Amino acid sequence: MLKKTVTAASAVLMCAAAVSGCGSDSSASDGNDQIVMGFSQVGAESGWRTANTESIKASAKAAGFELKFSDAQGKQENQIKAIRSFIQQKVDVIAFSPVVETGWDTVLQEAKRANIPVILTDRAVDTEDTSLYKTFLGSDFVLEGEKAGQWLVENAADADVDGDGDVNVVQLEGTTGAAPAIDRAEGFAEAIKTDSKIKVSASQTGDFTRDGGKQVMESFLNSEDGIDVVFAHNDDMGLGAIEAIEASGLEPGKDIKIITVDAVKDGMAALAKGQINFIVECNPLLGDQLMDLANKVLDGEEVPARVVTEETTFTPEQAAEVLADRKY
Ligand code: GYE
């Protein structure tokens, strides 16, 4: 009896000394009790992404997490590789922002089998098996597209720049297959349905980059007559479009109206100058909420299946007011 008690007590001590491998969910793989998070980021395609990466790194540090950060350079195969390597390294929790919506089931099943919880952040995956992740933290992209479309409906008379009775819109789409590209296009299309004068005459991906936006806009300016409005799925593509419009001798924000999404500093500066006419905010500062959710998941607490980020919209006047204090 006595021997048993002693053995049990020493086992507890041994566990305390070497936290990993004692069955605790929050035990780290590298022998200390720090929580290890594997994070697979999409890439560095935009100002939004840079701000998001900085937020995640800063919040992980503040929360005392060890962050294993991997940049997928826009490629799904790199994200799958990174997730597999996190599983192999036995991280405590995996978080990632999926570059595209589909094709994740196999690797997420592998994480599930290894008992590593997965948190989706920023972008959603398209799967029938919602047990493959614990929660999804990010914006409502359909709503963002709707807000952009509603503004256009409310400002349709002004937006018919050439006065031909039609509001001719060209759309610069985000990365093909990405949740924000699919959802923003859907929300926008839904909102503009209420006004038959508003038509999307051309729509093509600019891959969420400034250069992509510029190139696609150049080709639209060559192929489309009477463009009144650009709806760009992010600020960076809108900023690229501004360059193309200026190079064609037209004035962005006046000769062609521009609506974008994100509200990063460069976008807000262009909005305050009147080169962009309206921005729908998409908040990249998800780090603190992500670490908080990870702590809860590892503590076995219930977390909501969906955590939606709160966001607003900006006119040029509003942008001018907040620009100086804008953090990203
Ligand atoms: O709007 C864009 C970025 O997924 C919300 O990705 C994010 C989007 C953001 O490249 O700028």
Side-chain angles (χ1 to χ4, degrees):
M1 186 64 195
L2 183 67
K3 190 166 178 232
K4 249 194 195 164
T5 314
V6 169
T7 314
S10 56
V12 168
L13 282 175
M14 275 170 62
C15 262
V19 174
S20 82
C22 288
S24 153
D25 237 2
S26 57
S27 63
S29 56
D30 59 357
N32 62 38
D33 60 0
Q34 212 180 10
I35 291 171
V36 180
M37 171 183 278
F39 186 89
S40 168
Q41 181 60 291
V42 168
E45 73 283 3
S46 65
W48 190 100
R49 189 65 53 199
T50 307
N52 180 247
T53 293
E54 280 167 11
S55 165
I56 282 153
K57 288 184 174 169
S59 299
K61 203 169 174 201
F65 285 24
E66 182 191 333
L67 185 70
K68 291 185 187 292
F69 183 90
S70 169
D71 176 340
Q73 297 179 326
K75 295 203 176 75
Q76 181 173 34
E77 72 217 57
N78 290 347
Q79 288 200 295
I80 292 176
K81 266 190 218 149
I83 294 169
R84 291 212 164 109
S85 129
F86 296 149
I87 296 171
Q88 218 170 22
Q89 295 173 67
K90 297 190 167 59
V91 301
D92 297 303
V93 55
I94 292 171
F96 83 116
S97 174
V99 59
V100 292
E101 278 191 338
T102 54
W104 299 103
D105 281 45
T106 308
V107 73
L108 293 184
Q109 273 152 10
E110 292 168 24
K112 193 178 170 185
R113 250 181 271 129
N115 263 322
I116 302 176
V118 172
I119 299 177
L120 301 178
T121 166
D122 161 32
R123 297 184 182 177
V125 301
D126 185 359
T127 176
E128 276 173 16
D129 185 358
T130 51
S131 79
L132 294 178
Y133 57 88
K134 297 290 177 196
T135 179
F136 165 37
L137 162 68
S139 310
D140 181 339
F141 300 133
V142 177
L143 183 63
E144 290 173 350
E146 276 172 12
K147 287 178 186 171
Q150 270 157 15
W151 180 85
L152 189 54
V153 169
E154 282 157 26
N155 293 274
D158 248 15
D160 177 14
V161 182
D162 61 7
D164 67 353
D166 277 341
V167 179
N168 182 6
V169 184
V170 294
Q171 179 168 240
L172 298 172
E173 297 165 25
T175 303
T176 305
I182 297 167
D183 294 354
R184 287 172 186 163
E186 184 192 317
F188 185 75
E190 194 55 42
I192 60 169
K193 255 194 205 161
T194 56
D195 186 340
S196 59
K197 290 193 300 302
I198 305 173
K199 291 187 189 86
V200 177
S201 58
S203 185
Q204 209 176 299
T205 182
D207 217 7
F208 279 132
T209 66
R210 215 173 273 213
D211 206 43
K214 186 178 174 199
Q215 280 178 31
V216 175
M217 192 63 208
E218 275 164 5
S219 85
F220 283 164
L221 285 163
N222 286 329
S223 62
E224 300 297 314
D225 285 331
I227 299 173
D228 295 305
V229 177
V230 175
F231 171 44
H233 287 181
N234 77 344
D235 288 348
D236 283 83
M237 291 190 295
L239 292 163
I242 288 174
E243 289 177 36
I245 293 168
E246 279 178 333
S248 79
L250 296 171
E251 209 183 328
K254 300 235 160 46
D255 298 328
I256 296 183
K257 306 282 180 194
I258 304 180
I259 309 168
T260 65
V261 185
D262 275 356
V264 294
K265 213 163 196 161
D266 288 355
M268 292 289 271
L271 179 62
K273 276 198 271 175
Q275 293 181 311
I276 295 179
N277 305 83
F278 189 65
I279 300 186
V280 178
E281 185 185 39
C282 179
N283 188 357
L285 306 182
L286 303 176
D288 285 352
Q289 275 173 294
L290 174 62
M291 303 311 146
D292 188 47
L293 284 167
N295 268 320
K296 288 190 170 133
V297 164
L298 291 171
D299 284 346
E301 275 179 52
E302 279 288 313
V303 291
R306 177 80 173 96
V307 181
V308 184
T309 324
E310 272 186 37
E311 286 151 355
T312 182
T313 59
F314 295 100
T315 61
E317 297 72 32
Q318 290 164 331
E321 267 171 42
V322 300
L323 192 57
D325 300 325
R326 200 78 187 155
K327 291 202 180 57
Y328 54 89

